[in-house]
Amino acid sequence: MDPNDSAQTTGEATGTVVGRRKAARYIVPVAVAGVAAATIGLVPALANSGDPDLPKISAQELIEKIAASDEEQLSGTFKISTDLGLPLDGLAGSFVPGGEGGDKDGGAAAPQDKLMELTSGTHTLRVAADGPERQKLSILGDASEYSLIHNQGEVWAYDSKSDEVYHAEAPEGRDGGGHAEKAPKLPKGAPATPKDFAEQALAAAGDTTSVTVDGTAQVAGRDAYQLLIKPKQSGSTIGSVRIAVDAENGVPLKFTLSAASGGKAVVDAGFTKVDFSRPAASTFSFTPPKGAKVTEADELETGKDEHGAAQKALPGQLAELDGFEGLNVIGKGWTSIAEIKTPGGKGLPAAGSDEVPAEAQGFLDALGDKVTGKFGSGTVFKTRLVNALLTDDGSVYVGAVTKDALVRAADAAAK
């Protein structure tokens, strides 16, 4: 097979295949690797010699190994470091849900609040999984622990620092007994085997991506191949993605995302300790401690919809995005840019107005660069990975691309 041959792989087909890969449903690095493998083209290359000394393998064979991974039981310690280049120190309390002074919908134990903390800094987690019905994630603090537990149809979250508990029913996809429903039948034309999946992934994005098996490594005491994914296109803020894949069972053990600008990794996440035997059933048991404040998910309902069903509260940020007129994707591959029209064509509120609190204005000024072009004027909000241009007439251009690429896209759209 010519790896540069084009192939049309629908999002529905690849999404279904990724969903069928058992390991990808349970642990962070597998899920990330699934997204990477399902959305880019991979160029076969033989592994370099390294330590440990493992048999040579092609990129296609390694993707097949990831796709075929069926590990359902594991436990271990996981470390994640994230550096998006955002000036969050001192501002996180005002803008990150769950921070000091933040808006804690559902209390301190609500998952949507606590998990936002993983988007900045370094964190140590304990993870455990026993099939699709039992998983546990614990975020370890200096003198506290936050645990999120899914156990057969129930979800519990507990914050030992605040002594608060959050409880909810498991998401849909369970039968009447609380057990996971069988996977839906694949649509016609969807890859049915790991080899099918790998071949379609290899051809999906043509010549925009270079992928090689770049030597070997040891992660959490296990031998692993290193899959190196790099954009061939200029203008992307992404330098490379490196995934360490367990040589025995195909489970991704470590994921590193580096910026094109160099420096510290944007995301460096991986196991420091891992065991693929079944965790004890008691790992997933939870009873709220005596005296703890318990918040039920149903208590967060804000009203009824037109059919009389309860509507769940939406975070303010998501509610504000509701009503966008549409989205247009400019370009392809790593340099794709999303063009979005804001409701009513409104741009940023004027600085110093009642719509922009002083601390919010400081946050925007720290992130933004004023730019001009054929489109008029606007502000580019930047991180080390994703940049966004908001024009004064209310158009938004966002992507993992440079500021100049955003300006060029806005200029082209203004013609």
Side-chain angles (χ1 to χ4, degrees):
M1 181 189 85
D2 184 348
N4 292 320
D5 287 345
S6 61
Q8 186 66 36
T9 305
T10 66
E12 179 182 1
T14 46
T16 303
V17 174
V18 174
R20 292 177 64 243
R21 289 171 43 217
K22 298 178 182 177
R25 292 196 294 260
Y26 313 132
I27 56 177
V28 173
V30 179
V32 175
V35 173
T39 57
I40 60 175
L42 308 179
V43 181
L46 294 181
N48 298 323
S49 60
D51 187 13
D53 187 15
L54 296 173
K56 290 183 178 181
I57 190 172
S58 71
Q60 176 173 333
E61 290 168 337
L62 190 52
I63 293 301
E64 290 177 20
K65 181 179 282 288
I66 296 173
S69 179
D70 60 357
E71 293 292 337
E72 290 192 328
Q73 288 87 33
L74 67 84
S75 59
T77 305
F78 192 82
K79 185 176 181 180
I80 178 169
S81 295
T82 308
D83 182 8
L84 292 173
L86 288 167
L88 291 177
D89 294 341
L91 292 171
S94 298
F95 296 98
V96 177
E100 292 182 10
D103 184 13
K104 298 179 180 180
D105 293 333
Q112 66 268 30
D113 296 341
K114 196 68 178 180
L115 296 182
M116 276 294 294
E117 296 180 9
L118 300 181
T119 62
S120 177
T122 299
H123 303 271
T124 300
L125 298 80
R126 279 201 301 260
V127 296
D130 184 9
E133 298 183 13
R134 297 180 181 88
Q135 300 94 38
K136 182 176 181 179
L137 170 70
S138 297
I139 304 173
L140 308 182
D142 291 336
S144 62
E145 181 174 322
Y146 174 85
S147 293
L148 181 61
I149 303 161
H150 169 218
N151 190 1
Q152 291 185 318
E154 284 190 296
V155 174
W156 293 96
Y158 176 58
D159 188 337
S160 68
K161 185 175 182 179
S162 65
D163 200 26
E164 293 189 40
V165 176
Y166 172 88
H167 178 241
E169 296 293 322
E172 293 182 5
R174 316 233 140 237
D175 61 22
H179 300 288
E181 293 180 346
K182 293 182 178 180
K185 186 177 180 181
L186 286 175
K188 187 176 182 180
T193 67
K195 183 175 177 62
D196 292 339
F197 167 70
E199 288 179 348
Q200 291 203 17
L202 285 164
D207 58 0
T208 66
T209 304
S210 168
V211 172
T212 59
V213 181
D214 188 31
T216 62
Q218 271 224 338
V219 179
R222 296 186 64 88
D223 293 348
Y225 292 104
Q226 297 201 78
L227 190 67
L228 182 62
I229 305 167
K230 299 178 71 174
K232 289 184 177 179
Q233 299 164 296
S234 61
S236 173
T237 57
I238 298 174
S240 67
V241 175
R242 185 179 292 272
I243 304 169
V245 182
D246 192 293
E248 180 180 348
N249 58 31
V251 172
L253 300 173
K254 187 173 182 180
F255 172 88
T256 304
L257 173 62
S258 299
S261 58
K264 183 179 178 182
V266 177
V267 179
D268 189 19
F271 284 102
T272 58
K273 187 178 187 181
V274 66
D275 182 351
F276 290 101
S277 59
R278 172 172 288 172
S282 58
T283 303
F284 310 101
S285 299
F286 179 78
T287 300
K290 185 177 180 180
K293 177 185 175 183
V294 180
T295 299
E296 295 287 341
D298 290 344
E299 296 174 12
L300 304 180
E301 293 171 0
T302 58
K304 304 290 184 180
D305 63 17
E306 60 202 29
H307 304 294
Q311 292 179 319
K312 301 293 183 181
L314 283 176
Q317 296 92 331
L318 294 180
E320 291 170 7
L321 293 176
D322 188 32
F324 270 38
E325 296 176 8
L327 180 148
N328 176 45
V329 178
I330 301 170
K332 66 176 183 177
W334 298 83
T335 55
S336 298
I337 296 173
E339 178 189 17
I340 309 168
K341 300 296 183 181
T342 56
K346 294 177 62 177
L348 284 175
S353 69
D354 293 338
E355 298 178 77
V356 185
E359 62 271 23
Q361 188 62 51
F363 180 75
L364 296 177
D365 290 343
L367 289 180
D369 287 341
K370 298 295 183 181
V371 293
T372 58
K374 295 177 182 179
F375 63 89
S377 59
T379 304
V380 173
F381 300 99
K382 55 190 182 299
T383 71
R384 296 180 63 208
L385 193 64
V386 178
N387 295 323
L389 165 61
L390 177 57
T391 66
D392 289 347
D393 66 1
S395 294
V396 179
Y397 300 85
V398 61
V401 297
T402 62
K403 177 174 70 174
D404 290 344
L406 292 175
V407 171
R408 287 194 296 269
D411 280 343
K415 292 180 179 179

